[in-house]
Amino acid sequence: MSLKLHRHALSGHSHRAQLALSLMGLPHELIEVDLMKGARKAPDFVELSPFGQVPVLDDDGTIVFDSNAILVYLATKYDADRRWLPRDPKGQADVQAWLSVAAGQIAFGPAAARLITVFGAKYNPDDVIGHAHGLLKVMDAQLATRSLLVGNGATLADIAGYSYISAAPEGNVDLSAYPNVRAWLARVEPLPGFVPFQKTAVGLAA
């Protein structure tokens, strides 16, 4: 097994994939993609990632792009106990629903807000911060009756949600009004194999 993750250290999508590899105990090599120097547009990288985005997983020549696709691939191939992606239809559907949230509400809320402060993206701050708070209100209500997003143990849902929610203050999204969300973050962080998301002193985290 030779797993290589092409990533950028400040990309939450990249951290999501790195977190999955580490939590699953899978040895891997991190290959930095210099987004600031336009490496994502290089022809050899576009061959791996047709949309020119990180992360990309190389598993002995099997290439998987898109962070959520990488999570599903790793759980399906390497998690024999299916701890991270349940086999039962309801559990699997619940996890997939949160993967959709990660690709939708999280991407267009806290992730987009952070893109403004970290990468200089041209989003409207009021719009994306407003989207972030709308998401956080729902998450906080959901987490009022459960410790993790799906079931009694950590799943891909928690991995997919963690990175950008934990870094939301970097995008001027205040988490103080969401005690259940903050408690959930605190439950993810002690998991064996957890790796923190690199912090950036911007926004409310400055």
Side-chain angles (χ1 to χ4, degrees), residues 14 74 78-79 85 91 93 96 102 115 132 137 144 205:
S14 292
L74 292 173
Y78 292 110
D79 177 22
L85 181 61
Q96 292 287 354
L115 283 174
K137 287 175 184 174

Side-chain angles (χ1 to χ4, degrees), residues 167-203:
E170 295 180 9
N172 289 307
V173 177
D174 189 353
L175 296 178
S176 62
Y178 310 105
N180 299 322
V181 170
R182 289 185 281 109
W184 164 71
L185 293 173
R187 292 186 193 101
V188 173
E189 289 160 3
L191 293 173
F194 175 83
V195 287
F197 188 17
Q198 182 171 316
K199 295 184 182 303
T200 306
V202 294

Side-chain angles (χ1 to χ4, degrees), residues 6 11 18 32 44 50 52 70 91 97 99 101 113 122 125-126 138 143 150-151 165 179 185 189 192 203:
H6 299 257
S11 159
Q18 180 188 358
E32 199 69 19
D44 57 342
I70 290 170
L99 295 184
V101 170
K122 303 302 181 185
D126 291 338
V138 174
L143 289 162
V150 175
I165 299 297
L185 293 173
E189 289 160 3

Side-chain angles (χ1 to χ4, degrees), residues 1 3 20 27 37 46 68 74 76 80 107 124 132 137 151 162-163 165 184 188 193 195 200:
M1 177 176 64
L3 291 164
K37 293 186 177 178
V46 173
N68 287 343
L74 292 173
T76 304
N124 181 301
K137 287 175 184 174
Y162 175 84
S163 306
I165 299 297
W184 164 71
V188 173
V195 287
T200 306

